[in-house]
């Protein structure tokens, strides 16, 4: 069975500083992995996906994630945070269905 | 359509009443998923439809919950005899195949009073 752990329930960064949101997964086979973002009172939007091609995946709005099989990790990064990045971020592994992590709330301070 | 459409966007119902939530997936998407998101929490899988295969109902929390899908089109999620703990946002998603990303609707916010 697949599962996802997001190590931080809340991350706070200053505008212009790097963002790191951590995700570890468990999967019995080569996984498909995704990051989704949910802005307040808005729907879920796909940021990026990994489906066994390049291990470094680039997404929208300057985000990227690196798949590391040896560490079973798929951490999300961005070099410079913007105020508009403040949202809830979900790491997701695809098995029979999409298994969501508990989410990390990102706050961006001015 | 352009995206996944859910209706109603908001629903307030009295405890004990039945409710029906509707999801229109993206045209041509064979996979359809229902999730529940309680306030401040992550997404809880409910049910998954893939083409004409038998649905995966493993996430339905009780027999008060049921869902149907006609072919590869509209799906309805029905909650019978609603309880206050059913209050949540119910999200529908569709994907073009089992291994591609899912596109989510805006959700139906259900409040049971």
């Amino acid at each position: 069975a697949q599962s996802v752990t997001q190590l931080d329930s809340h991350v706070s960064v200053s505008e212009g500083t790097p963002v790191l949101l951590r995700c570890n997964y468990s999967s019995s086979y080569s996984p498909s992995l995704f990051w989704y973002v949910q802005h307040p009172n808005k729907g879920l939007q796909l940021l990026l996906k990994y489906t066994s091609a390049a291990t470094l995946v680039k997404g929208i709005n300057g985000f990227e994630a690196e798949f590391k099989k040896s560490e079973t990790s798929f951490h999300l990064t961005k070099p410079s945070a913007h105020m508009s990045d403040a949202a809830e971020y979900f790491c997701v592994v695809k098995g029979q269905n999409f298994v969501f992590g508990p989410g990390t709330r990102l706050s961006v301070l001015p | 359509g352009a995206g996944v459409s859910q209706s109603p966007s908001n629903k307030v119902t009295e405890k004990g009443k039945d409710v029906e939530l509707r999801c229109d997936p993206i045209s041509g998407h064979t996979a359809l998923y229902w999730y529940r998101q309680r306030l401040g929490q992550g997404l809880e899988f409910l049910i998954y439809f893939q083409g004409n295969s038998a649905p995966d109902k493993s996430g339905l929390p009780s027999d008060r919950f049921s869902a149907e899908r006609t072919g590869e089109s509209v799906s309805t999620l029905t909650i019978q005899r609603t309880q206050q703990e059913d209050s949540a946002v119910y999200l529908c998603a569709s994907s073009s195949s089992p291994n591609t990303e899912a596109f989510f609707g805006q959700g139906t916010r259900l409040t049971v009073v």
Side-chain angles (χ1 to χ4, degrees):
Chain A
Q2 287 73 35
S3 66
V4 177
T5 303
Q6 291 184 247
L7 297 167
D8 307 297
S9 59
H10 183 211
V11 170
S12 185
V13 301
S14 297
E15 189 174 22
T17 65
V19 176
L20 170 63
L21 304 183
R22 297 182 292 169
C23 171
N24 288 88
Y25 69 91
S26 173
S27 178
S28 54
Y29 46 83
S30 184
S32 294
L33 294 160
F34 307 83
W35 277 96
Y36 282 83
V37 60
Q38 187 176 39
H39 287 92
N41 299 315
K42 292 193 175 181
L44 282 156
Q45 181 183 21
L46 178 71
L47 272 180
L48 50 80
K49 62 180 179 181
Y50 166 78
T51 53
S52 75
T55 56
L56 182 62
V57 181
K58 294 187 183 299
I60 61 171
N61 300 334
F63 285 94
E64 60 182 38
E66 186 171 8
F67 172 72
K68 292 187 177 180
K69 185 175 180 179
S70 61
E71 299 177 9
T72 60
S73 69
F74 190 57
H75 301 333
L76 182 70
T77 60
K78 183 173 180 177
S80 176
H82 191 272
M83 296 296 288
S84 61
D85 295 328
E88 189 85 17
Y89 291 80
F90 294 97
C91 183
V92 181
V93 63
K94 178 68 168 65
Q96 177 74 352
N97 59 74
F98 291 88
V99 178
F100 279 72
T104 297
R105 182 165 59 93
L106 176 65
S107 298
V108 182
L109 307 175
Chain B
V4 178
S5 177
Q6 292 186 247
S7 60
S9 55
N10 282 283
K11 175 72 175 178
V12 179
T13 190
E14 292 181 350
K15 178 181 173 181
K17 300 281 190 182
D18 297 351
V19 295
E20 191 172 278
L21 312 180
R22 177 187 169 104
C23 173
D24 281 275
I26 294 172
S27 178
H29 279 195
T30 60
L32 187 146
Y33 310 81
W34 283 98
Y35 287 82
R36 176 169 70 178
Q37 186 175 29
R38 290 194 167 114
L39 186 63
Q41 298 186 20
L43 273 72
E44 176 187 358
F45 167 72
L46 296 177
I47 189 168
Y48 161 53
F49 295 90
Q50 173 56 50
N52 294 318
S53 302
D56 176 359
K57 303 181 181 180
S58 61
L60 295 178
S62 77
D63 58 8
R64 295 188 295 105
F65 288 72
S66 63
E68 293 183 349
R69 185 183 188 194
T70 306
E72 294 183 354
S73 61
V74 171
S75 175
T76 55
L77 177 69
T78 301
I79 308 173
Q80 296 178 310
R81 305 181 301 281
T82 52
Q83 304 295 312
Q84 287 188 329
E85 62 262 29
D86 299 334
S87 296
V89 175
Y90 289 81
L91 291 161
C92 176
S94 69
S95 65
S96 58
S97 73
N99 293 318
T100 57
E101 67 268 30
F103 295 85
F104 282 81
Q106 295 292 309
T108 294
R109 183 177 300 277
L110 176 66
T111 303
V112 182
V113 298

